[in-house]
Amino acid sequence: MRFKSIFFYVLPVAASLALASCSDDDSSSNEPSYNIPATYTFERDGQSTVDFSGQTTRLKMLLEFDAYSKNKAGFPTFDNNLVLNMFSNTNNPFSEEALNTSGKQLRDKTAASADYFASNSVEAAEIKASFDGLFTEMGQAAANYATTATPGTAGSIEDGKRLVNGKGLEPNQAIIKGLMGACFMDQALNNYLSITVLDETKLANDAGTLEAGKNYTTMEHKWDEAYGYIFGYQTTNTDGTTKVYFWESYLNTVNGNPFFEGITANIKNAFIKGRAAIVNKDYTTRNAQIAIIKENLSKVGAVRAVYYLNEGKALLSGDNTQTVKAFHALSEAYGFITGLRYTNNPAKNTSYFTAQEVKNIQETLLGGTDGFWDANYTSQKATELMETIAQRFGFTVEQAIHEGGSH
């Protein structure tokens, strides 16, 4: 995974209201009378009311898996049980002790949203099991680190720079991008930003009732938790710039594409405005911001899926030295396609693609005789799938693959 280093900033809300290209849901013509801060900063009695520490913990857990799974020096001694334990946070798998003792894990929040999975336990269990399988495939590929991967045989490609399964898929990319959708997006959009979930706490929020020992209402905290899955962790580079991760990183990448310029501000300012609305018991405004966030964040993963499908297709037509890069791009696409199941179309409160549609897309992408090694088949199907995804979200392939959106 490549991350983009940027300066961390928040645009004033007024700026987001001028950027209507990414959403038609902004009700800027009827602005509320209460104060909306320029940054995600909220206080009560001089003390912060913002808390998304659990989300920061989970982002850090996935980052540690990312680092471990890409450390080629460690492949000969790769511990598959360790990465499986990272998923469930068992047997102290993390180098940071605070993660081990946090009581948090990735697995129990995967495919676990109230709106999509509360009454869908069978699919939820299947999804968790599919990630267990990917972690196992990661271990199998690592066990064959010294073996050059070939069709049907897992191992490494290009002098061990990447580990792939027998179809050329990088399990670590399928896991990382997949969990961005199945855990982070699903929890943010379909759980903590669920109108049903939030409205269960409306009476307590109206009364200003704080959680025991805390400085926030339950509704305020749930909103913060959604925010944390997107913007919940940054680090500082040696040059003083800020490094961001997962959804925030890709948000800024898509924002760099002129066809999607303003999407970062739209999402960030909708979070700010919605949080202010909760403080002021303005649930109409809150709900309008939920729609903006769901529509725009859903689009980010779709844009990146199309972008990487196109990149992989182009690299497959090059010489053999491009194979590793092609497989990497296609594996990133595969992971973002996983995330399409967890998108949310706010007009319907359902995902833009059903579980079966996502499964069909992924099976088609890997459906060549030799998986990604079947270059002609993969290139052809990538072209078809790009169109399918773009059309569903209302943008064009040409827009998604514009060079301004690379990183």
Side-chain angles (χ1 to χ4, degrees):
M1 179 184 296
R2 295 163 287 174
F3 300 113
K4 183 177 180 182
S5 298
I6 65 164
F7 291 96
F8 181 73
Y9 66 95
V10 178
L11 298 178
V13 170
S16 73
L17 302 180
L19 297 167
S21 61
C22 296
S23 176
D24 297 324
D25 297 303
D26 197 314
S27 55
S28 58
S29 60
N30 189 22
E31 283 301 291
S33 59
Y34 47 82
N35 178 62
I36 301 172
T39 63
Y40 200 86
T41 304
F42 298 90
E43 294 184 346
R44 178 176 285 111
D45 299 328
Q47 300 294 320
S48 175
T49 64
V50 176
D51 180 10
F52 45 79
S53 59
Q55 288 62 48
T56 299
T57 294
R58 290 188 177 89
L59 266 61
K60 291 172 73 174
M61 287 176 173
L62 191 57
L63 276 172
E64 185 155 338
F65 164 75
D66 179 33
Y68 186 82
S69 66
K70 292 195 302 188
N71 179 12
K72 66 178 182 179
F75 289 160
T77 57
F78 186 95
D79 186 343
N80 192 52
N81 287 328
L82 180 69
V83 295
L84 282 169
N85 288 337
M86 286 181 180
F87 190 33
S88 59
N89 192 14
T90 52
N91 299 318
N92 300 317
F94 298 104
S95 61
E96 184 178 339
E97 185 58 25
L99 299 182
N100 295 324
T101 59
S102 65
K104 309 295 183 184
Q105 59 172 270
L106 292 165
R107 197 178 194 279
D108 67 354
K109 293 297 184 180
T110 295
S113 63
D115 281 358
Y116 283 7
F117 298 103
S119 59
N120 196 2
S121 60
V122 173
E123 185 191 356
E126 290 174 349
I127 290 168
K128 289 179 173 66
S130 72
F131 279 101
D132 290 336
L134 285 169
F135 279 106
T136 298
E137 283 193 16
M138 183 75 212
Q140 292 169 342
N144 283 344
Y145 168 73
T147 300
T148 300
T150 56
T153 301
S156 62
I157 52 178
E158 199 180 64
D159 298 326
K161 289 184 178 179
R162 302 284 179 184
L163 295 178
V164 299
N165 67 12
K167 287 185 173 289
L169 177 73
E170 290 184 38
N172 77 318
Q173 289 302 311
I175 290 168
I176 293 163
K177 271 65 175 186
L179 286 177
M180 283 175 59
C183 183
F184 300 165
M185 177 184 281
D186 185 50
Q187 283 294 300
L189 300 191
N190 309 315
N191 194 60
Y192 293 121
L193 294 185
S194 162
I195 291 176
T196 300
V197 169
L198 290 171
D199 281 354
E200 289 173 349
T201 68
K202 185 181 287 186
L203 290 177
N205 196 69
D206 285 342
T209 303
L210 305 185
E211 290 192 5
K214 304 296 182 180
N215 195 33
Y216 47 70
T217 69
T218 298
M219 190 184 294
E220 290 170 347
H221 185 48
K222 288 184 182 299
W223 191 273
D224 291 344
E225 289 178 297
Y227 179 88
Y229 275 119
I230 313 306
F231 301 107
Y233 185 60
Q234 303 90 32
T235 57
T236 303
N237 295 312
T238 55
D239 63 359
T241 57
T242 299
K243 188 172 184 178
V244 297
Y245 302 92
F246 301 124
W247 282 115
E248 185 171 8
S249 173
Y250 286 104
L251 242 177
N252 287 303
T253 299
V254 173
N255 192 78
N257 181 328
F259 290 105
F260 302 97
E261 185 177 2
I263 198 167
T264 298
N266 280 357
I267 293 174
K268 192 167 290 185
N269 289 322
F271 267 114
I272 295 169
K273 190 174 180 181
R275 182 63 154 76
I278 289 171
V279 172
N280 290 276
K281 291 79 175 175
D282 176 4
Y283 305 117
T284 299
T285 297
R286 181 203 69 180
N287 292 352
Q289 306 318 302
I290 289 172
I292 292 170
I293 296 166
K294 288 183 174 182
E295 177 188 342
N296 284 270
L297 186 63
S298 295
K299 188 175 293 183
V300 171
V303 170
R304 294 314 290 172
V306 172
Y307 180 89
Y308 285 123
L309 283 171
N310 181 72
E311 183 178 58
K313 180 189 75 170
L315 289 166
L316 282 176
S317 64
D319 58 36
N320 291 334
T321 61
Q322 298 299 300
T323 299
V324 63
K325 294 179 181 179
F327 287 7
H328 180 65
L330 291 167
S331 298
E332 292 191 276
Y334 184 96
F336 277 116
I337 290 167
T338 297
L340 299 179
R341 169 67 182 97
Y342 312 96
T343 56
N344 189 300
N345 181 343
K348 302 176 180 179
N349 195 36
T350 58
S351 57
Y352 283 83
F353 283 88
T354 67
Q356 188 59 52
E357 286 176 323
V358 170
K359 182 179 180 180
N360 292 344
I361 290 172
Q362 291 180 317
E363 288 180 348
T364 297
L365 182 60
L366 277 170
T369 303
D370 294 321
F372 290 157
W373 271 283
D374 192 340
N376 291 334
Y377 172 92
T378 304
S379 296
Q380 176 188 342
K381 294 303 178 182
T383 299
E384 297 172 7
L385 296 176
M386 285 190 289
E387 291 289 349
T388 298
I389 295 169
Q391 289 175 10
R392 187 69 59 90
F393 283 85
F395 57 82
T396 68
V397 171
E398 289 71 23
Q399 289 171 333
I401 66 176
H402 191 276
E403 63 181 7
S406 64
H407 86 158

